[in-house]
């Protein structure tokens, strides 16, 4: 029958699968739905590399092994043409994913024309060009791998909290007041009133924690600071656990277990993607609770020592002024002294947020913690125990010149069954940048929003 000689008939008998799962089909014919990533020609052999969203695989097309039309179709393929390809899976130790595809048949869904080629080639492009073409850049193997790792980090964070008794409660994004300081608010017109995009779900999940015990939020948050550092986005995603009847020690224990779980998950489930981006896994394998803990004062002592003994002249160029918050170089120096995230606790209350509980041992310090990732990545988590007393919180709101009316509901949490409670926020993009070993947070999210960019 004619179908048997039709090269496309292989498509109907082969199993549909994905590149990530191709190992289960060794020796069989499979069909992949994807795109041409690259093509190399060597005499009577073609080596197309296909991608399908789950990974990449090299195909082999010997002229003698396929009908002439099939050979010619592959030979004419252009980068990012969409194709449905059928071939036999062959194990090959030298192949990056461990397998190659002996191509039997190919269906071209859309061929990208030569006169309007895919703009991102395998040559070097500048960052501005790549960001301008972010909608296409994400198709390249490294960027796709980062996005899959991001998804795994989010899933791991949620699984950890879901499995440890935390209830997901979603705070509003449109809010009437500041959480993290008035200078970094994005205003929006709310039917004639001024409202703001949320900086953090914290104040709201303090309320859901007092309702449900252990809760978390996961959602987009916004900061209008005009900062251009490699750690700042104007829109980023934050996961925030909050626990009733919990103190700073409980919070630090949660932070180290949470991070250890997430890193371990990425190592076990995303090994192939970690390999694609070339991340040193030994650095990640070291991330195991417990993490080192330093009081702010001890951290300052380390910075002074670094300056006085000129231990890190590139980073520490001035003597740190006691009482300040740490800057990026300070965090970089401190975290580079350890192979695990460093937990710095009890900062001076004056440099931290209004809602932080003072240390009863010395109220000049706050019961707070910043978790600094190693290898110079700096703060990935910020959190604290919260002010439990109605009088103190009311005074703090006044001292910080915050609008009293907007905080009445928040004060109510201290009027009716107030308890010690604590929580933290982890910025997903900071975590992805560190775990993937990236230069800049702009590659950790599909479409980064920064001071200079809101396109595409
Ligand atoms: O330290 P932050 O400002 O803390 C809070 O917002 C608390 N209300 C959280 C809480 O206790 N529930 O932010 C928390 C984390 C930081 O450690 C950092 O990882 C990330 O959010 N983050 C940013 N990530 C990217 N771009 C920015 N502009 C960020 N600002 C904070
Ligand atoms: Mg912070």
């Amino acid at each position: 029958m004619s179908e048997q000689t039709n090269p496309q008939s292989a498509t109907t008998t082969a199993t549909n699968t994905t590149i990530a799962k191709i190992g289960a089909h060794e020796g069989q014919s499979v069909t992949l739905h994807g795109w041409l990533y690259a093509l190399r020609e060597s005499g009577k052999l073609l080596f197309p590399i296909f991608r399908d969203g789950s990974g990449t695989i090299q195909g082999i097309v010997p002229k003698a092994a396929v009908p002439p039309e099939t050979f010619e179709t592959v030979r004419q393929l252009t980068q990012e043409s969409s194709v449905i390809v059928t071939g036999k899976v062959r194990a090959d130790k030298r192949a990056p994913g461990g397998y190659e595809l002996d191509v039997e048949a190919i269906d071209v869904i859309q061929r990208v024309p030569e006169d309007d080629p895919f703009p991102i080639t395998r040559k070097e492009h500048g960052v501005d060009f790549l960001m301008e073409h972010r909608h296409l850049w994400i198709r390249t193997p490294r960027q796709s791998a980062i996005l899959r790792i991001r998804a795994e980090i989010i899933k791991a964070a949620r699984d950890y909290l879901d499995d440890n008794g935390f209830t997901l409660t979603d705070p509003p994004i449109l809010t009437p007041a500041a959480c993290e300081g008035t200078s970094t608010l994005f205003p929006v017109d709310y039917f004639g009133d001024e409202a703001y995009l949320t900086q953090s779900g914290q104040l709201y999940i303090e309320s859901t924690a007092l309702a449900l015990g252990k809760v978390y939020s996961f959602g987009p948050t916004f900061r209008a600071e005009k900062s251009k550092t490699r750690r700042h986005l104007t829109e980023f995603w934050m996961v925030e656990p909050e626990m009733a009847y919990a103190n700073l020690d409980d919070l630090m224990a949660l932070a180290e277990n949470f991070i250890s779980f997430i890193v371990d998950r990425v190592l076990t489930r995303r090994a192939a993607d970690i390999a694609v981006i070339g991340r040193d896994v030994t650095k990640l394998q070291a991330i195991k609770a417990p993490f080192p803990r330093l009081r702010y004062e001890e951290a300052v002592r380390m910075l002074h020592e670094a300056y006085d003994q000129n231990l890190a002249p590139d980073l520490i160029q001035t003597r740190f002024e006691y009482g300040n918050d740490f800057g990026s170089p300070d965090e970089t120096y401190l975290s580079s002294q350890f192979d695990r995230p460093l937990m710095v606790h009890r900062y001076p209350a004056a440099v931290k947020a209004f809602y932080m509980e003072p240390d009863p041992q010395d109220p000049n310090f706050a019961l707070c913690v910043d978790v600094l990732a190693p290898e110079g990545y700096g703060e990935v988590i910020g959190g604290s125990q919260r002010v439990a007393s109605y009088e103190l919180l009311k005074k703090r709101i006044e001292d910080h010149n915050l609008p009293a009316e907007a905080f009445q509901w928040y004060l109510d949490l201290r009027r009716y069954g107030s308890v010690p409670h604590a929580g933290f926020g982890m910025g997903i993009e900071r975590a992805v940048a560190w775990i993937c070993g990236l230069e800049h947070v702009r590659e950790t999210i599909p479409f980064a929003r920064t001071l200079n960019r809101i396109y595409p």
Side-chain angles (χ1 to χ4, degrees), residues 16-174:
N16 286 330
T17 188
T18 61
I19 294 168
K21 294 189 171 157
I22 213 156
H25 301 275
E26 194 188 331
Q28 300 166 16
S29 281
V30 297
T31 297
L32 300 172
H33 294 68
W35 295 263
L36 182 89
Y37 170 59
L39 177 64
R40 192 160 58 82
E41 190 171 351
S42 169
K44 294 183 159 55
L45 279 176
L46 300 175
F47 298 100
I49 298 175
F50 300 106
R51 64 168 195 90
D52 74 344
S54 75
T56 59
I57 191 167
Q58 175 162 282
I60 299 193
V61 193
K63 191 162 193 178
V66 293
E69 322 78 88
T70 305
F71 188 83
E72 211 38 44
T73 303
V74 175
R75 206 171 72 83
Q76 300 286 328
L77 278 180
T78 44
Q79 189 187 352
E80 284 306 310
S81 291
S82 39
V83 294
I84 299 175
V85 59
T86 296
K88 195 171 274 177
V89 181
R90 182 167 38 74
D92 185 325
K93 287 213 170 60
R94 293 158 306 170
Y99 298 92
E100 288 191 335
L101 193 71
D102 291 322
V103 174
E104 297 166 326
I106 193 154
D107 248 335
V108 180
I109 306 306
Q110 189 239 338
R111 184 173 175 281
V112 176
E114 273 91 1
D115 59 1
D116 186 15
F118 190 69
I120 300 170
T121 61
R122 293 172 85 182
K123 70 170 206 258
E124 288 274 312
H125 295 284
V127 168
D128 281 344
F129 178 87
L130 291 170
M131 288 305 287
E132 198 72 8
H133 293 86
R134 182 64 176 163
H135 51 298
L136 304 177
W137 186 25
I138 51 177
R139 299 184 186 195
T140 57
R142 180 180 167 83
Q143 296 303 313
S144 295
I146 294 168
L147 294 185
R148 284 189 294 265
I149 294 169
R150 175 191 170 93
E152 196 70 57
I153 288 170
I154 292 171
K155 170 103 170 81
R158 298 184 62 144
D159 283 351
Y160 182 89
L161 296 169
D162 290 342
D163 294 346
N164 283 281
F166 290 77
T167 301
L168 174 69
T169 59
D170 305 309
I173 290 169
L174 291 167

Side-chain angles (χ1 to χ4, degrees), residues 383-434:
S384 75
Q385 205 173 307
R386 321 304 192 188
V387 171
S389 142
Y390 176 87
E391 284 73 26
L392 178 59
L393 185 60
K394 188 160 173 293
K395 183 168 181 310
R396 286 280 184 86
I397 289 169
E398 287 160 11
D399 291 349
H400 283 77
N401 292 317
L402 294 167
E405 334 73 67
F407 286 93
Q408 286 313 307
W409 71 269
Y410 186 59
L411 279 164
D412 276 353
L413 308 180
R414 279 70 180 173
R415 295 169 71 196
Y416 306 113
S418 187
V419 298
H421 61 289
F424 65 69
M426 181 180 83
I428 293 294
E429 293 73 19
R430 298 260 183 103
V432 175
W434 160 51

Side-chain angles (χ1 to χ4, degrees), residues 179-180 199-203 205 221 223 225 231-242 352 355-356 370-371 379-384 386 423-431 441:
C179 174
E180 291 301 319
Q199 298 166 311
S200 159
Q202 180 197 318
L203 306 188
I205 59 171
T221 46
R223 302 282 168 101
E225 61 220 298
R231 299 172 183 186
H232 280 89
L233 295 170
T234 50
E235 175 182 311
F236 64 99
W237 288 68
M238 188 154 40
V239 56
E240 299 181 82
E242 188 76 29
K352 288 291 182 183
Y355 52 69
M356 292 186 179
D370 276 4
V371 182
E379 182 191 338
V380 285
I381 280 182
S384 75
R386 321 304 192 188
F424 65 69
M426 181 180 83
I428 293 294
E429 293 73 19
R430 298 260 183 103
V441 287

Side-chain angles (χ1 to χ4, degrees), residues 172-188:
I173 290 169
L174 291 167
T175 58
C179 174
E180 291 301 319
T182 47
S183 62
T184 66
L185 288 169
F186 274 113
V188 286

Side-chain angles (χ1 to χ4, degrees), residues 126-320:
V127 168
D128 281 344
F129 178 87
L130 291 170
M131 288 305 287
E132 198 72 8
H133 293 86
R134 182 64 176 163
H135 51 298
L136 304 177
W137 186 25
I138 51 177
R139 299 184 186 195
T140 57
R142 180 180 167 83
Q143 296 303 313
S144 295
I146 294 168
L147 294 185
R148 284 189 294 265
I149 294 169
R150 175 191 170 93
E152 196 70 57
I153 288 170
I154 292 171
K155 170 103 170 81
R158 298 184 62 144
D159 283 351
Y160 182 89
L161 296 169
D162 290 342
D163 294 346
N164 283 281
F166 290 77
T167 301
L168 174 69
T169 59
D170 305 309
I173 290 169
L174 291 167
T175 58
C179 174
E180 291 301 319
T182 47
S183 62
T184 66
L185 288 169
F186 274 113
V188 286
D189 174 62
Y190 197 74
F191 308 113
D193 281 337
E194 187 162 75
Y196 309 96
L197 297 178
T198 187
Q199 298 166 311
S200 159
Q202 180 197 318
L203 306 188
Y204 292 94
I205 59 171
E206 284 185 52
S207 125
T208 59
L210 297 189
L212 303 171
K214 293 205 287 184
V215 299
Y216 72 101
S217 65
F218 176 67
T221 46
F222 304 85
R223 302 282 168 101
E225 61 220 298
K226 295 210 161 99
S227 171
K228 281 195 209 164
T229 76
R230 61 194 188 90
R231 299 172 183 186
H232 280 89
L233 295 170
T234 50
E235 175 182 311
F236 64 99
W237 288 68
M238 188 154 40
V239 56
E240 299 181 82
E242 188 76 29
M243 304 179 283
Y245 286 107
N247 61 26
L248 180 61
D249 283 334
D250 301 322
L251 193 67
M252 291 198 276
L254 175 67
E256 64 193 2
N257 290 323
F258 181 68
I259 289 183
S260 304
F261 178 86
I262 292 169
V263 171
D264 184 62
R265 253 298 178 81
V266 170
L267 283 172
T268 51
R269 297 200 180 169
R270 287 286 146 206
D273 290 321
I274 290 285
V276 167
I277 62 177
R279 178 69 163 121
D280 180 355
V281 288
T282 61
K283 294 271 197 301
L284 298 178
Q285 283 159 349
I287 310 304
K288 297 227 156 49
F291 295 166
R293 299 175 187 201
L294 284 185
R295 293 182 69 104
Y296 170 85
E297 292 156 291
E298 297 171 288
V300 171
R301 219 170 294 142
M302 282 179 67
L303 291 174
H304 283 168
E305 193 180 88
Y307 179 77
D308 296 343
Q309 299 176 27
N310 205 25
L311 300 178
D314 296 344
L315 282 171
I316 307 300
Q317 286 153 2
T318 51
R319 198 160 199 278
F320 181 81

